[in-house]
Amino acid sequence: MGNERKLRILVAKPGLDGHDRGARIIARALRDAGFEVIYTGCHQTPEQIVQTALQEDVDMIGLSILSGAHNYSFPRIMELLKENNAEDIVVVGGGIFPLEDIPKLKSIGIKEIFTPGAKLEDIIKWVRENVKPRKVAA
Amino acid sequence: MEIVDQVLRGDVRAVARLLRDIDDQIPSTRSILKELYPHTGKAYVIGFTGPPGAGKSTLVDQITAYYRKIGKTVAIIAIDPTSPFSGGAILGDRIRMQRHFLDKDVFIRSVATRGHFGGLTKSTHDMITVFDAMGKDIIVVETVGVGQGEVEIADCAHTTIVVSVPGLGDDIQAIKAGIMEIGNIFVVNKADREGAKKTVQELRNLLEMGRRFRMDIGEADDWEPPIVETQAHKGIGIEELCEAIDRHRAYLTTQKPEQFRKVMLKRTLHQFSETLRDELFKEMVRRIERRGESLEAIAEKIFQKELDPYSISRQLIREEFVQPDDQ
């Protein structure tokens, strides 16, 4: 009865590329897994993504990126989360990343990176195991 | 309570978290809402309803820009459906509101229906309370776009806007109950499409007919709902729409204060009834559990035809709520 905490997830695409098919597929899969997915589409700045995450009180941000701009946008997003005392929000990336960048991204706090070929069920399983709805604030 | 002060100060994170707790029906939010309630009553609530794809989000985006230009602060509650199968939802209305993401004076919140019918969510009233107490001037509620039964917004908003688009179907769509009666303003969006003039004309005829009927039974007020043609994605007709909202607001607040009182009273009654119903139900469930039973166990017996839902409900109410003397 009531009192059920639903996982809320923001799926966003930082940067300039306009291809969001992958992001939409992920959003759909997360919905089918029973989560509430806030989808904001393409061309998001780190500032917009973090503001949205705060207003929507999400537990996780999924960033989809193909353009190669992750070395700029991911650190900026982590910085902004810190500035807003919102480091408890889990951040993951999905898309195309050079292998050598992945450890660097993890070192700044990105929890996981999913590359092409990652199975939807594995991603959902990862979310279930690693992201919990936050505790009641009041 | 610290959180009450944070909300009154407009702290985004605190508000966001409180909204989530309200949506999740966390019991402790009741006492916070109780303290926020006296600080409400200043915001103006505008509701948008209409079928999916009519352009509600784009209209909300446009009127938000209008209110920001004249210095008003805005909160938006954007409602999307929950999947009845998975319980999940995709909340995508923000896509059309991106230009406001960095504006500190616009707070956009996406909410899923979670099985609630009527176009709103269970939490909508309480979320309005929070935004009002937070000091937002304008609160816009974009209902879930289902089309025919989402009339609950009329009990929530001061001005209700019904959005339609050309080419949805024949006249019979528009005379179905509910949706025509709740609009204070009608918008025909995508007015550059074929058939727009016909849609406007049909709306006008229906409104006129409804008005004459209400006049006959003595229920008509002297507000005549205008029909505004817009092309929201191009910003065409937005100023006319905002003027229409301002006119309706002026009608309610200055010309017809008794009408405004009626609207507010209806809204309060709705909120009170919902809360009472909810509290009663929860109290009943608590008592059933205290008896060592559960709703599921009773349902099982009903399913087996050992009980029927009517008698057991009456019996529980009698045993739990009626004093021996009253019987």
Side-chain angles (χ1 to χ4, degrees):
Chain A
M1 283 305 312
N3 303 17
E4 176 201 7
R5 298 244 91 173
K6 279 238 183 212
L7 209 58
R8 282 169 70 87
I9 299 173
L10 170 63
V11 173
K13 274 194 71 70
L16 288 176
D17 85 85
H19 301 277
D20 67 342
R21 197 174 65 164
R24 279 187 280 147
I25 290 171
I26 294 288
R28 170 75 198 265
L30 293 170
R31 182 202 80 172
D32 289 343
F35 309 135
E36 288 185 353
V37 183
I38 292 97
Y39 186 61
T40 50
C42 301
H43 311 306
Q44 299 277 296
T45 65
E47 286 77 8
Q48 288 178 319
I49 290 170
V50 170
Q51 276 311 312
T52 299
L54 296 177
Q55 290 186 355
E56 297 286 356
D57 191 35
V58 296
D59 304 294
M60 173 185 141
I61 304 174
L63 299 167
S64 160
I65 200 157
L66 307 169
S67 65
H70 51 271
N71 286 331
Y72 159 71
S73 56
F74 283 30
R76 183 73 187 125
I77 287 166
M78 299 312 285
E79 239 173 70
L80 288 166
L81 286 173
K82 197 177 228 168
E83 275 172 31
N84 287 283
N85 297 319
E87 296 143 289
D88 54 321
I89 299 175
V90 174
V91 182
V92 306
I96 298 170
F97 303 89
L99 283 180
E100 63 267 29
D101 286 352
I102 293 177
K104 276 190 276 176
L105 293 173
K106 288 196 172 168
S107 75
I108 59 163
I110 308 291
K111 272 276 159 45
E112 192 55 275
I113 297 285
F114 296 99
T115 50
K119 286 202 190 100
L120 289 175
E121 53 264 42
D122 292 341
I123 297 174
I124 287 162
K125 188 164 169 264
W126 186 92
V127 173
R128 287 224 165 92
E129 281 166 10
N130 292 278
V131 188
K132 299 287 173 236
R134 68 155 176 80
K135 298 264 183 299
V136 175
Chain B
M1 250 184 293
E2 196 196 345
I3 183 147
V4 172
D5 294 330
Q6 286 171 325
V7 172
L8 294 176
R9 263 187 281 122
D11 180 324
V12 170
R13 194 101 211 267
V15 169
R17 301 202 135 194
L18 177 58
L19 296 176
R20 167 94 172 268
D21 290 348
I22 289 170
D23 210 25
D24 288 345
Q25 299 182 53
I26 307 296
S28 57
T29 56
R30 287 273 179 232
S31 52
I32 301 167
L33 284 164
K34 194 173 76 183
E35 289 197 37
L36 291 175
Y37 194 78
H39 299 274
T40 62
K42 294 178 286 278
Y44 197 75
V45 184
I46 303 168
F48 278 84
T49 187
K56 295 186 293 296
S57 302
T58 312
L59 284 164
V60 169
D61 172 67
Q62 293 280 11
I63 72 153
T64 301
Y66 169 89
Y67 283 115
R68 289 301 297 131
K69 232 182 334 191
I70 57 171
K72 303 279 186 210
T73 60
V74 180
I76 299 164
I77 302 173
I79 306 172
D80 267 323
T82 292
S83 157
F85 302 105
S86 71
I90 292 193
L91 311 171
D93 291 332
R94 292 182 77 103
I95 290 182
R96 322 215 195 278
M97 305 171 190
Q98 298 204 8
R99 61 174 150 164
H100 305 297
F101 284 7
L102 292 180
D103 185 342
K104 294 261 180 287
D105 289 316
V106 178
F107 195 124
I108 308 170
R109 182 54 168 237
S110 316
V111 203
T113 52
R114 299 189 180 180
H116 188 85
F117 296 106
L120 303 182
T121 68
K122 224 171 162 181
S123 52
T124 306
H125 259 300
D126 294 338
M127 287 191 173
I128 290 173
T129 298
V130 174
F131 282 133
D132 193 345
M134 184 193 183
K136 292 294 181 199
D137 300 314
I138 304 285
I139 300 171
V140 185
V141 182
E142 180 188 336
T143 69
V144 66
V146 287
Q148 297 179 332
E150 71 287 16
V151 294
E152 215 182 359
I153 184 66
D155 290 326
C156 237
H158 299 114
T159 299
T160 300
I161 299 168
V162 175
V163 186
S164 64
V165 282
L168 270 188
D170 55 24
D171 306 5
I172 193 73
Q173 293 301 337
I175 49 175
K176 287 183 183 173
I179 198 84
M180 289 299 291
E181 286 104 306
I182 63 164
N184 305 118
I185 296 168
F186 288 81
V187 169
V188 176
N189 193 31
K190 306 187 185 180
D192 50 339
R193 278 199 189 171
E194 201 190 317
K197 291 281 170 267
K198 187 165 171 269
T199 305
V200 172
Q201 195 50 49
E202 278 169 8
L203 272 176
R204 187 163 292 136
N205 293 343
L206 285 161
L207 284 172
E208 186 50 38
M209 225 165 70
R211 238 186 105 64
R212 243 177 293 146
F213 173 71
R214 282 203 304 278
M215 257 160 21
D216 286 345
I217 59 171
E219 267 188 13
D221 49 48
D222 39 14
W223 173 256
E224 283 183 49
I227 302 168
V228 185
E229 291 177 57
T230 58
Q231 295 171 49
H233 62 296
K234 292 188 200 155
I236 296 174
I238 300 306
E239 236 166 80
E240 289 84 342
L241 173 58
C242 292
E243 277 164 23
I245 297 170
D246 289 345
R247 271 207 315 279
H248 185 246
R249 183 178 185 167
Y251 165 81
L252 281 184
T253 50
T254 50
Q255 282 163 261
K256 294 277 165 173
E258 74 278 13
Q259 189 66 24
F260 189 59
R261 201 176 172 278
K262 232 163 86 181
V263 171
M264 293 307 290
L265 204 60
K266 198 173 150 203
R267 207 179 117 181
T268 314
L269 175 64
H270 183 257
Q271 184 175 19
F272 170 51
S273 321
E274 292 274 294
T275 312
L276 184 62
R277 207 185 336 259
D278 207 45
E279 294 284 328
L280 264 177
F281 181 72
K282 281 189 194 143
E283 180 59 34
M284 193 57 164
V285 172
R286 260 195 299 273
R287 291 185 183 206
I288 287 172
E289 278 161 10
R290 213 164 43 208
R291 293 158 75 113
E293 294 189 70
S294 72
L295 287 191
E296 288 75 13
I298 296 174
E300 178 68 35
K301 284 183 195 152
I302 297 173
F303 176 67
Q304 300 291 350
K305 306 277 187 278
E306 289 168 34
L307 297 171
D308 71 83
Y310 317 100
S311 323
I312 185 67
S313 298
R314 291 294 314 161
Q315 186 193 327
L316 284 167
I317 291 167
R318 209 166 40 234
E319 289 175 11
E320 289 298 333
F321 287 104
V322 183
Q323 298 298 319
D325 298 348
D326 301 344
Q327 280 183 359

